[in-house]
Amino acid sequence: MTGGGLLVAGTTSDAGKSVVTAGICRWLVRQGVKVAPFKAQNMSLNSFVTREGAEIGRAQAMQAQACRIEPTALMNPVLLKPGGERSSQVVLLGRPVGEMSARGYHGGRQQRLLDTVLDSLAQLRATYDAVICEGAGSPAEINLRRTDIVNMGIARNASLPVLVVGDIDRGGVFASFFGTVALLSPEDQELVAGFLVNKFRGDVSLLEPGLDMLHGLTGRHTYGVLPFRHGLGIDEEDGLAVSLRGAVRESAVTAPVGEDVLRIAVCAVPLMSNFTDVDALAAEPGVVVRFVDRPEELADADLVVVPGTRGTVRALGWLRERGLADALLRRAAEGRPVLGICGGYQILGERIEDDVESRAGRVDGLGLLPVRVRFAREKTLERPVGRALGESVEGYEIHHGVADVRGGEAFVSDDGGHGLDGCRVGQTWGTHWHGSLESDGFRRAFLREVAAAAGRRFVPAPDTSFAALREEQLDRLGDLIEQHADTDALWRLVESGAPPGLPFVPPGAPA
C-alpha cells in the first residue's frame, strides 16, 4: 500500500517551504503518523552527512528530525552545490557525480534524473504512512517547466496534491497566489489544492475578506494563516536568512551567566557552506554572533571564525582583497582566538594544492597552522566521533581537501589520545568537522578557553542543550500548524489528494 503525500510549494524562494514542511511533519508525528520528508532536488551549500555516509541538504536532515527519524539519501536524491554563478556540483543519492552548468543541467540532465527521483519517492511512500514533499523556488517558473522534477513535475508524476505557501511579510501575496495558479497548465492546476499564508502580522479578521475574494477568483481555499515568529528559520538552504552584517537568526542575546558577553565574528566568505555551524554558539546565553566582511569588525571580536566554503581558494583571495587576511595574521600574532572550520581550516594552513575545486594548482595559505592541503577527487563524507578538551565530540565531514598536519597539537583525538582531525597552535584552531560545536560539553570547554584568552569574564551556561533547543524549535513549528492551519483539511489532502473539480484559472501556461 502506498502512503499518502503532499507537496509544499511556494510563490517564491524563501517563502517558508522548509519550515512549513517541517511543521507539518512534526504535527503529523505527534498524531502518531509515520511520516518522512522529501525534496527531489535541492540547491544548497548547507548540507549534512547521513549515517550511511550520504550527503543531503541540511533542510531535509532537519525535517527528518521533525519526523523523529534518521535522514537518508532517499529524502533528497538530487543535491546541487553551487560553485559559482553558472555551475554546480551534482550530488546524486548522496554521492557527487560531477560538475555541470545550469544550461547543461536544464538542457537534459535534469529530466534523466526523474526516474531516480520517482523511485526514491516511491520507496519512501511504501515505507511511511505519509511523505511531505518540499518544492523549490516557484512552481510557476514557466521557463523551467519542461524539465521540472521538483515542483509540478514531481506532483504530476506522483499524483501529489499541492499546497502553495506565500510570505505575506514581503507583500503582494494575493497577486502571487493568483498568478502562480494562473500560469500553470490545466493539468497542473488540477493538483493545486489551495494556499497557506505565512508570516502574517496583525488581526487575521482584516485578511479574511481578501481570502474570500481569492477563493472566488481561484476556487481554492486557504488552509491556514501562520503568524510571524522570530527565530524559526532553522537550517535554511537558499542562503543566509539574515543580513551578512546582522546577528545570527535574529536571536536576542540572553543575559550572560558571568559578568561579560562573548563577541564572535564570522567572516562572510564567498560560497559560505554550513554556516549553521555557528548556530550552537549563538544559542549560548551571553554570546553574540555576527557575520562580518570588513577588517575593522574583527577588532573587538573575542573569537573570529573562518567558516566552510565551496570555494576555498576563492575565499582565500577574498580575505586577502578585503584586508581580513592581514587582520587574522595580526590576531594570531597577538594570541587572540581564531577558529577555522573545513574550508576555513584549509585557508589557515601553509599551502593548498587544488586541481579539483578551483584548479588553481598550488596556492599559499595564511600559514597560521602547520598544515598542507591537497584536494582529492574523491569527497570525504563521514560522521566521526572523538574527544577534544577532555570532552566527547562528534561531527560530520564534507570535503575534498586532505590535510597533512606537520606540527602543532591535535584538535580532536580518539580515546587513546591519537590525533583524529584538526590542528591547534596557540589560540589558532582548525578542524574539518562540521557540527562539532553542537556537542554541549565540548562547546562549553572551547568557549571557556576563548574567554580566558580574550580576557573576558564570560562563563558558559552549565545547562544549555543544543539538541533540546532544536527540539523546542521543531515543536514550535508543529504548534504553528496545529493552532493556525486547518489540520483536518490538510490530512484529507495527504490521505486523499487534491479535491476534484477545481476550476481552471486562465490564461494558463504559455504554449
Side-chain angles (χ1 to χ4, degrees):
M1 180 178 176
T2 299
L6 172 70
L7 176 70
V8 178
T11 56
T12 62
S13 293
D14 203 31
K17 297 183 293 292
S18 295
V19 293
V20 167
T21 300
I24 294 174
C25 287
R26 178 49 61 103
W27 163 67
L28 284 172
V29 81
R30 293 195 308 208
Q31 311 311 307
V33 177
K34 188 180 178 185
V35 59
F38 179 79
K39 183 159 186 174
Q41 171 198 297
N42 200 341
M43 178 172 280
S44 178
L45 288 172
N46 268 355
S47 59
F48 184 75
V49 179
T50 67
R51 293 288 180 195
E52 71 267 31
E55 184 179 9
I56 65 172
R58 270 200 71 106
Q60 279 60 65
M62 175 268 291
Q63 291 160 359
Q65 186 175 349
C67 297
R68 297 179 179 144
I69 58 176
E70 275 289 328
T72 73
L74 294 175
M75 297 171 187
N76 179 206
V78 181
L79 172 64
L80 305 179
K81 301 193 73 174
E85 293 184 3
R86 296 188 177 183
S87 68
S88 295
Q89 183 180 67
V90 181
V91 179
L92 181 63
L93 288 174
R95 294 289 172 180
V97 294
E99 296 278 337
M100 185 163 287
S101 68
R103 180 179 292 275
Y105 186 67
H106 290 288
R109 176 67 179 270
Q110 188 179 32
Q111 195 65 23
R112 293 196 296 272
L113 296 173
L114 181 60
D115 288 344
T116 300
V117 164
L118 291 174
D119 181 65
S120 299
L121 178 56
Q123 288 187 58
L124 289 174
R125 294 183 79 178
T127 306
Y128 292 90
D129 301 329
V131 178
I132 308 302
C133 308
E134 179 187 344
S138 162
E141 291 169 350
I142 53 179
N143 56 317
L144 303 177
R145 175 63 185 92
R146 181 177 60 84
T147 57
D148 169 45
I149 64 170
V150 66
N151 291 307
M152 300 313 300
I154 192 75
R156 283 271 292 278
N157 278 280
S159 300
L160 294 171
V162 179
L163 182 70
V164 180
V165 178
D167 180 356
I168 198 170
D169 200 46
R170 294 182 173 191
V173 75
F174 292 118
S176 297
F177 282 145
F178 181 86
T180 296
V181 179
L183 282 176
L184 300 178
S185 69
E187 295 81 5
D188 285 351
Q189 287 194 24
E190 288 177 3
L191 294 173
V192 179
F195 314 108
L196 185 75
V197 177
N198 192 27
K199 297 183 183 179
F200 180 72
R201 306 172 191 249
D203 185 348
V204 176
S205 66
L206 299 177
L207 188 66
E208 287 170 350
L211 300 179
D212 292 339
M213 286 185 270
L214 182 66
H215 178 255
L217 289 166
T218 67
R220 288 157 174 85
H221 291 286
T222 297
Y223 284 74
V225 178
L226 308 185
F228 186 94
R229 292 287 187 267
H230 282 285
L232 292 181
I234 51 179
D235 291 5
E236 288 99 351
E237 59 190 41
D238 293 325
L240 288 170
V242 295
S243 161
L244 290 182
R245 309 179 69 77
V248 173
R249 301 287 177 269
E250 302 174 316
S251 53
V253 179
T254 13
V257 175
E259 297 180 43
D260 290 341
V261 298
L262 208 61
R263 295 172 176 83
I264 298 176
V266 184
C267 298
V269 297
L271 298 175
M272 181 165 34
S273 61
N274 290 71
F275 54 80
T276 47
D277 281 333
V278 299
D279 281 359
L281 296 175
E284 284 286 347
V287 173
V288 182
V289 180
R290 291 187 174 274
F291 292 100
V292 302
D293 58 5
R294 298 188 306 199
E296 57 267 30
E297 294 174 301
L298 272 55
D300 67 345
D302 302 308
L303 169 68
V304 174
V305 177
V306 186
T309 171
R310 170 82 165 87
T312 302
V313 171
R314 178 178 169 183
L316 176 57
W318 180 87
L319 290 169
R320 285 181 166 136
E321 291 164 8
R322 292 266 177 162
L324 288 160
D326 288 337
L328 289 168
L329 292 170
R330 287 193 297 271
R331 284 187 67 89
E334 294 165 1
R336 302 176 66 197
V338 176
L339 170 64
I341 301 174
C342 200
Y345 168 39
Q346 298 166 7
I347 284 169
L348 299 182
E350 295 174 352
R351 75 182 189 207
I352 298 166
E353 294 182 19
D354 181 11
D355 296 316
V356 176
E357 189 176 77
S358 68
R359 297 181 175 85
R362 180 170 169 172
V363 178
D364 288 336
L366 297 187
L368 297 179
L369 293 174
V371 177
R372 297 181 182 181
V373 176
R374 177 185 54 82
F375 274 63
R377 297 201 176 276
E378 188 73 18
K379 181 185 280 191
T380 297
L381 295 169
E382 295 180 355
R383 290 276 294 271
V385 295
R387 294 187 66 79
L389 302 180
E391 300 285 347
S392 298
V393 59
E394 58 184 276
Y396 56 99
E397 295 186 63
I398 306 170
H399 54 91
H400 284 279
V402 178
D404 177 13
V405 181
R406 301 189 167 205
E409 303 174 46
F411 192 164
V412 185
S413 303
D414 60 20
D415 287 334
H418 303 103
L420 279 180
D421 183 76
C423 181
R424 173 189 182 180
V425 173
Q427 290 301 318
T428 300
W429 316 64
T431 178
H432 270 134
W433 291 19
H434 294 292
S436 61
L437 293 165
E438 295 179 17
S439 298
D440 297 326
F442 165 69
R443 182 181 64 254
R444 287 192 279 268
F446 178 67
L447 290 177
R448 281 193 291 269
E449 289 251 0
V450 168
R456 298 287 185 190
R457 291 172 292 185
F458 169 85
V459 178
D463 55 355
T464 301
S465 166
F466 186 75
L469 290 172
R470 171 56 55 88
E471 278 295 302
E472 288 174 14
Q473 281 187 307
L474 293 171
D475 276 332
R476 289 173 66 197
L477 293 180
D479 292 344
L480 279 179
I481 298 299
E482 187 169 340
Q483 296 167 11
H484 301 282
D486 186 342
T487 52
D488 289 340
L490 278 180
W491 177 245
R492 285 195 296 273
L493 285 183
V494 172
E495 195 173 36
S496 306
L502 291 170
F504 172 71
V505 179

